[in-house]
Amino acid sequence: MKKLLATMLLIGVLVLSACSNDASLYDEIQEEGVLTVATSGTLIAASYYNDEDALTGFDVEVAREVGKRLGLDVKFEIMSVDGMLPAVETGRVDMAANDLTATKKRKENYTFSDPYKYSYSTMVVRKSDFSGVFALEDLEGKINGGGDTTVSSEIARHFGAEVKTYGNASNEAYLRDVSIGRTDVVVNDYFLIKFGVAAFPDFDIMMHPDLKFHPTEQSLVMKKGETELEEAVNSVLAEMREDGTLTEIAETFYDEDASQKPAEDIEVIEGLDI
């Protein structure tokens, strides 16, 4: 009888263990009731601290609304952009929200939600001399300020620029360096540049008036293979697009509807391996 009882207990433990191992990330998130999201807190107007020292921004508020509609509390983990994808991969966070662009190479290793923002790349240059950049080919030999693993830095490298990295620095650090000539350009997203430049009117910087290139789609990033979480997030994003919430959040932070594809003619960069 004791042997039979012991055997039954062992079977019960094995069954519970198997069920636990089969649980998806989304099951675990639902059980805990918390969605953990990586973001930088330094990226005007996507993820930053406002005058009341509250974390906000387009990507932050999109993530908050996704969590709310899934019935989850959202906890943000502040980190550099270079640390976000590794944090998703290791499970330190459940997803990342920081104006992250879906690329062919990234999609091999991570799951990207349906896009919630459409944009393109341009660059910050000095007002006084355009930083000597009048075409993308002029980036050769120039110094670009940016994160080491960002798409923007890869574009700069593609055209022969050196990349100066900053960690999780503020917009001010990047833009001041262009202004004083420590660097030459900051290749980045149109919307981020638009508001970053506007925040520092005394700097000798401007958004390049002529160069528009590399159309992009920004998404929430999740661990590869977490289908349930992906489907739940995409369902909510579709609702937000349908009921106008994405448009409302975009216009709040960008004064434009960044949730729609831009109408401009954007140059596609050939041979960009990202």
Side-chain angles (χ1 to χ4, degrees):
M1 183 67 180
K2 289 182 179 179
K3 288 184 177 180
L4 178 60
L5 181 60
T7 301
M8 291 175 67
L9 287 171
L10 178 59
I11 291 171
V13 169
L14 292 173
V15 169
L16 287 172
S17 176
C19 291
S20 175
N21 290 337
D22 287 343
S24 68
L25 176 59
Y26 189 47
D27 290 332
E28 295 172 5
I29 291 169
Q30 286 182 308
E31 184 176 346
E32 294 176 3
V34 178
L35 182 68
T36 307
V37 181
T39 197
S40 67
T42 59
L43 197 60
I44 301 171
S47 171
Y48 66 101
Y49 286 89
N50 63 19
D51 292 339
E52 287 74 44
D53 202 32
L55 181 66
T56 190
F58 177 65
D59 293 72
V60 168
E61 300 307 332
V62 167
R64 278 201 176 111
E65 184 66 17
V66 167
K68 177 182 175 182
R69 295 191 185 206
L70 292 176
L72 302 168
D73 293 330
V74 178
K75 177 185 176 184
F76 289 98
E77 293 278 350
I78 303 301
M79 62 183 69
S80 71
V81 66
D82 291 333
M84 290 179 193
L85 296 185
V88 169
E89 187 170 14
T90 61
R92 175 180 167 182
V93 297
D94 302 318
M95 66 173 56
N98 201 74
D99 203 68
L100 292 164
T101 299
T103 68
K104 182 180 178 181
K105 281 191 173 180
R106 285 177 172 177
K107 286 181 177 179
E108 293 174 358
N109 299 304
Y110 304 93
T111 293
F112 285 78
S113 72
D114 293 336
Y116 57 85
K117 174 173 173 272
Y118 297 91
S119 187
Y120 58 88
S121 297
T122 182
M123 65 183 75
V124 178
V125 294
R126 283 183 291 277
K127 284 189 290 188
S128 55
D129 62 358
F130 282 59
S131 299
V133 178
F134 301 95
L136 286 170
E137 290 72 19
D138 295 331
L139 285 170
E140 178 146 12
K142 298 292 192 288
I143 302 175
N144 173 80
D148 186 53
T149 61
T150 63
V151 171
S152 297
S153 291
E154 287 305 312
I155 291 172
R157 290 190 183 103
H158 179 77
F159 287 98
E162 174 189 344
V163 175
K164 173 179 169 58
T165 60
Y166 290 76
N168 199 30
S170 66
N171 292 64
E172 182 174 5
Y174 289 89
L175 300 179
R176 184 185 298 278
D177 276 3
V178 175
S179 180
I180 65 177
R182 186 173 291 156
T183 59
D184 299 300
V185 301
V186 174
V187 176
N188 212 329
D189 174 82
Y190 158 73
F191 290 102
L192 301 182
I193 287 177
K194 173 184 173 181
F195 279 84
V197 168
F200 302 99
D202 295 332
F203 288 3
D204 177 26
I205 56 173
M206 66 177 178
M207 180 164 61
H208 202 292
D210 303 320
L211 299 181
K212 300 177 181 180
F213 49 92
H214 190 60
T216 57
E217 298 178 353
Q218 283 72 40
S219 304
L220 298 168
V221 187
M222 296 159 278
K223 194 172 184 177
K224 188 74 172 177
E226 293 295 341
T227 307
E228 285 186 72
L229 179 58
E230 177 189 8
E231 290 176 351
V233 168
N234 283 341
S235 177
V236 166
L237 287 173
E239 290 176 4
M240 292 166 63
R241 183 174 294 283
E242 180 68 23
D243 66 21
T245 302
L246 282 180
T247 294
E248 181 181 347
I249 298 174
E251 290 179 344
T252 297
F253 290 98
Y254 294 127
D255 292 334
E256 297 181 50
D257 188 1
S259 72
Q260 304 295 325
K261 291 185 178 181
E264 292 94 336
D265 185 20
I266 311 301
E267 178 182 353
V268 175
I269 300 171
E270 300 295 338
L272 189 60
D273 186 23
I274 58 174

